[in-house]
Every structure is written in C-alpha cells, then in structure tokens.
Amino acid sequence: VEQHKELLGSIGVDVDRHAKMMAMGLDAYKAQFLGQPNRPKGMAYFDWFMSEIQGQRIAEINQLRAEKKPAVGTFCIFVPEEIVVGAGGACYGLCGGSNATVADAETELPRNICPLIKSAHGFKLQRTCAYTQSSDFIYGETTCEAKKKTWEILAKHHPVHVMNIPHMKREKDLKMWQEEIAEFKEHIEQVSEKKLSLAEMIEGVKKVNAKRSALQRLDALRGMNPDIMPISGKDSLFITQVGFMDDIERYTQKVNELCDELEERVREGVSVFPANTPRIMILGTPLAPPNWKIHTAVESTGGAIINEESCIGHRYYKDNVDVEGVTSEDELYARLMQRYSKIDCACFTPNTGRTEKIVQMYKERKADGVIYYTLSFCHTYNVEAHLVTEALAKEGIPCLVIESDYSPEDAGQIKTRVEAFLESI
Ligand code: BJ8
C-alpha cells in the first residue's frame, strides 16, 4: 500500500485512515490465517493478494479505467458481471465487512439496519475503501428494504446505478428482469463510451463461467469427501472472497492450480483436520471480508466448515450461463436472466427452492450439522430461518441459528455456543 499512496490519494482515499485500517486488517489476517496447520502451498498466492488487496489490485483497476474500461463496484451477486467483463472492465465487491466504519454510517443511516449496509456506507463516508473510490459507479439493486433505500443516500456521495430485481419469479417478473439486464448493458456502454458487441459479451460469459467452474471444483474438493478435507473452511472462504476482487483470469488460473494441489492431497490422503472432525455447512447471509468470525469460531473449537450456502459461497458459483447457440443480444439477455433467476436469495417469495437445495447439499456432502448465520436486522434471512429450520428438523439435521453483527463483543459467546453445538452432534 505504501508504494501506492500517491494513487490512493489521487482517487480520494483518506490515505492515513486507510493505512491504519489496512494495518488492522492485515494483523487480523495474520492472526487468523497464517498459523493454520499444513496449509496448501497454493495459499501463498492468496496471502500475497491480501498484502496487495488495496495496493497493486487498485493500481490494476485504475489502469483499466485509464483505458476507458468500466470499473463497477457491487454489494450483490445479481450484478450481470459478464457484461462488465465483456467490456474488458472489472466488476468487484466493495468493502462492507468491517465494524470500523459503522459509527460513521450511523450519522446518515439508522442504527437498527444490517451491518453490511452500514459498513459499506461508512466506507464511502470515510473514503477508506480504495475499491469504492476506484469505481465508475456502484451497482445497486432492489433486494432488501434497507439496501434499496440506502442507494438514494449513497447517491449523494457516489454515482449509483440501480437495477430493479423483482421479488417474485413469475413470467412478467422475469420479462422485466431481462429488460433490466439490457438496460445495464446500455449503462456500461455509456460509462465506457463504446458499443459492446454480442461476441464481446459472450467472451465475458466464458470468462465468468470459467471462474465459477474453478470455484465449483474447489467446493467439491473441500466438501465432497467425508474422510479427507484437504483445505480449511477459513482458507476456502478467503479464496472465495478474493474472487470478488481479483483479476478474473489470473484468479481462475490460481484457483485451478490450487485445486490441482488439493486433488493430489486427496489422492495421498492429506487432510488438514483430524479424522471424525464434525463437518459443518454455513447457511445464510454474505460473509464480506474481514468477517471471518463464524469460521474462526468453528475451526478453533474442533469443527470444519465444508461449504457456505451464502452469496460469498455456493449461491455465487453454483450456476454457469449457457451460451450454446446464442445468436442475438436478446437471446443472451434471456440466458443471463435464466441463470441469475436461479439465485435463491431470501428476498424472493416464495423461496422454497432454497430449502430443498440445502437438504440436498447436506446429504451429498454427508455433513454433520449446519449453522444458519444471519446478519442482525437482515429481515429476509432471519424470517426465512423459520421455514428452513423446520425443514431441517424434519430431516433430523442438527442446526444452530446465530444472528450477529460485526462487533467483536459476541465472539466469546458465539464460540461457547458453537462449542456446545459441536459437542452435541
Ligand atoms: S443475492 S443475499 S448479495 S441481496 S444487505 S439482504 S444481509 S439486510 S446482502 Fe444479498 Fe444479493 Fe440477496 Fe445475496 Fe440481508 Fe443485509 Fe439486505 Fe443483505
């Protein structure tokens, strides 16, 4: 970060405050990640990325912008990133997982809303997220109430493009969704001042498909073999988090290289956890870095996390876009809409597919229990917990529900509850 100070200043980052936050983030990473036993060698790349997360990567994004390629920041996986990638740009997740910006956000937002939204808004007010500062615009969506109203306030500080995501999946809703994707493409053309061709968009789809396929591969290697867990849940989560920031092609290659190593480990029977370690799935709301709270609690008390049924997790990478036989832009938008409408965010009603998928994933992975994790005041996931836990109980699946924000205060209490849960299964 030191060597990029000038660049950070030029994009409006509060350099001193940013340096302090980065130092805190790096210390937390070192304390929680580097001491894990027998980490795969391929994690060296992701450790390096952490050290350059607000340095070299920011320089790369700003180089793209200098070439008039779009830089789009987002807090939601509904963003049709294939279109941004097709335009040669970068589509990335913005900072929104830290408690350190919440107090600033509360000068403009109510206290009793989701910490992700407050954290993200606070990063903009503090100017301490170099990704936010680098973005041509922030992608907003009409998913939950708090987010959709925050865009109106955030727009005072940064350009925002809001996409209307329906809350039901009827034919008329899906038609509107497809139109919204077409409109998003026009917005990208306006930002980059350049027409975007069908061939370029298909190229973008192929790159994003390759990235999602690499993550599907990682998911299978870490979770599908009950006897061998070749990588920790914490490292796997961090790899997924990096996927929301890194250069797409370099990232895909690094994840695949790591998967080659994990395949080797599986063949040789190398596991990072002792035999009979309880295998836990995490369900629920996104886990934006540096929110590693639940993984640290589980993996420091004798459990292993084998999957995140979360938007920073399985919900993000489970489906690819089928571009076979696409010959027109409208057809491509339809295929994108079909793929994105498979996302089972709790903002939809009904959302029964999510519950069925969770049970299926649990059985496929031969997991031992699930933790339903929701951020405080996330009404959609909190309310949906009732139906999900009811279905899990019918199947005899052990489940612990945890609601938490980003403050460190409940870390001890969460650890105690997780410990008791792991002992009970
Ligand atoms: S697709 S889960 S990323 S909306 S901000 S809903 S935690 S109260 S982030 Fe989400 Fe897109 Fe859905 Fe996924 Fe709740 Fe907080 Fe709202 Fe949140």
Side-chain angles (χ1 to χ4, degrees):
V1 169
E2 259 314 294
Q3 56 178 315
H4 299 293
K5 261 188 162 174
E6 208 178 297
L7 164 68
L8 294 174
S10 75
I11 55 174
V13 170
D14 179 337
V15 179
D16 293 335
R17 211 167 177 185
H18 178 262
K20 280 189 201 127
M21 286 192 63
M22 271 317 294
M24 269 163 50
L26 282 170
D27 284 349
Y29 184 80
K30 279 184 201 155
Q32 293 181 63
F33 285 79
L34 300 189
Q36 296 175 92
N38 201 12
R39 296 174 83 212
K41 288 192 188 67
M43 281 311 295
Y45 171 74
F46 300 95
D47 291 341
W48 168 82
F49 189 88
M50 180 63 194
S51 68
E52 287 295 337
I53 198 164
Q54 299 257 344
Q56 183 177 317
R57 183 62 191 136
I58 296 302
E60 291 170 359
I61 290 170
N62 281 280
Q63 180 54 40
L64 289 177
R65 289 187 77 197
E67 296 162 18
K68 267 279 166 221
K69 310 237 169 91
V72 180
T74 174
F75 299 108
C76 185
I77 61 168
F78 284 121
V79 61
E81 62 177 296
E82 292 81 356
I83 294 175
V84 185
V85 173
C91 186
Y92 45 79
L94 299 171
C95 304
S98 167
N99 202 39
T101 55
V102 166
D104 288 68
E106 286 173 355
T107 61
E108 292 197 345
L109 298 175
R111 292 192 65 208
N112 55 349
I113 63 167
C114 158
L116 194 154
I117 299 167
K118 284 193 287 183
S119 172
H121 196 73
F123 270 108
K124 180 63 219 181
L125 295 184
Q126 284 188 357
R127 295 181 289 109
T128 44
C129 172
Y131 289 89
T132 305
Q133 293 304 124
S134 299
S135 60
D136 289 306
F137 67 91
I138 293 173
Y139 167 88
E141 15 62 45
T142 54
T143 47
C144 65
E145 300 303 309
K147 272 213 273 194
K148 102 182 153 198
K149 294 309 292 178
T150 298
W151 307 137
E152 296 169 31
I153 303 169
L154 190 60
K156 293 196 303 178
H157 310 289
H158 202 93
V160 178
H161 174 85
V162 180
M163 191 166 141
N164 193 1
I165 301 293
H167 293 165
M168 296 180 85
K169 295 179 181 174
R170 300 160 304 181
E171 217 177 307
K172 58 185 172 184
D173 302 313
L174 298 180
K175 186 173 168 285
M176 185 268 286
W177 197 331
Q178 186 175 325
E179 287 164 8
E180 289 288 312
I181 293 174
E183 214 174 283
F184 179 80
K185 182 250 190 182
E186 282 167 22
H187 192 66
I188 289 295
E189 286 180 331
Q190 275 166 24
V191 167
S192 52
E193 295 171 16
K194 191 174 166 281
K195 281 274 165 214
L196 184 58
S197 71
L198 176 62
E200 284 169 322
M201 286 192 280
I202 290 180
E203 211 33 56
V205 170
K206 288 183 180 161
K207 285 182 188 167
V208 180
N209 278 351
K211 173 184 171 183
R212 297 195 209 272
S213 296
L215 285 164
Q216 289 158 18
R217 200 178 155 207
L218 173 64
D219 177 47
L221 281 161
R222 70 185 273 217
M224 287 296 205
N225 188 338
D227 303 319
I228 300 155
M229 291 176 274
I231 184 167
S232 71
K234 205 153 54 176
D235 277 339
S236 305
L237 169 67
F238 186 64
I239 293 168
T240 314
Q241 290 173 334
V242 170
F244 286 88
M245 287 170 261
D246 201 357
D247 169 78
I248 189 160
E249 285 174 293
R250 177 176 62 204
Y251 174 80
T252 304
Q253 187 193 331
K254 291 296 174 187
V255 174
N256 276 321
E257 281 171 18
L258 180 98
C259 287
D260 294 342
E261 185 187 349
L262 300 186
E263 264 169 17
E264 189 72 31
R265 282 186 162 206
V266 170
R267 269 198 298 276
E268 290 172 358
V270 179
S271 185
V272 294
F273 296 108
N276 301 323
T277 298
R279 296 157 50 77
I280 306 298
M281 276 172 48
I282 301 293
L283 322 176
T285 48
L287 299 144
N291 180 13
W292 305 307
K293 211 176 189 177
I294 200 80
H295 285 60
T296 297
V298 172
E299 296 196 341
S300 64
T301 46
I305 293 182
I306 57 160
N307 179 278
E308 294 81 26
E309 189 270 336
S310 157
C311 289
I312 300 199
H314 190 260
R315 202 173 290 121
Y316 170 72
Y317 55 71
K318 69 186 174 73
D319 303 304
N320 288 1
V321 179
D322 176 14
V323 278
E324 196 57 42
V326 168
T327 53
S328 73
E329 289 196 5
D330 279 344
E331 243 177 297
L332 179 66
Y333 303 142
R335 298 288 181 90
L336 285 166
M337 177 275 288
Q338 282 154 15
R339 186 259 167 214
Y340 280 93
S341 61
K342 285 186 202 153
I343 292 175
D344 46 10
C345 173
C347 71
F348 291 108
T349 184
N351 197 31
T352 41
R354 175 170 176 236
T355 315
E356 287 154 19
K357 181 203 69 185
I358 290 168
V359 172
Q360 186 198 339
M361 285 170 69
Y362 182 88
K363 289 181 179 169
E364 280 169 359
R365 284 164 182 74
K366 300 189 174 61
D368 298 307
V370 305
I371 296 179
Y372 194 108
Y373 169 81
T374 50
L375 288 168
S376 318
F377 304 112
C378 174
H379 301 323
T380 53
Y381 280 86
N382 260 325
V383 174
E384 195 162 277
H386 173 80
L387 293 175
V388 174
T389 51
E390 190 175 61
L392 294 177
K394 267 194 202 137
E395 295 282 341
I397 297 174
C399 176
L400 172 69
V401 178
I402 291 180
E403 186 186 341
S404 176
D405 60 14
Y406 292 159
S407 80
E409 276 138 39
D410 60 356
Q413 189 215 21
I414 288 178
K415 207 171 159 186
T416 311
R417 289 185 64 205
V418 167
E419 217 159 2
F421 178 63
L422 294 179
E423 271 167 24
S424 74
I425 56 181

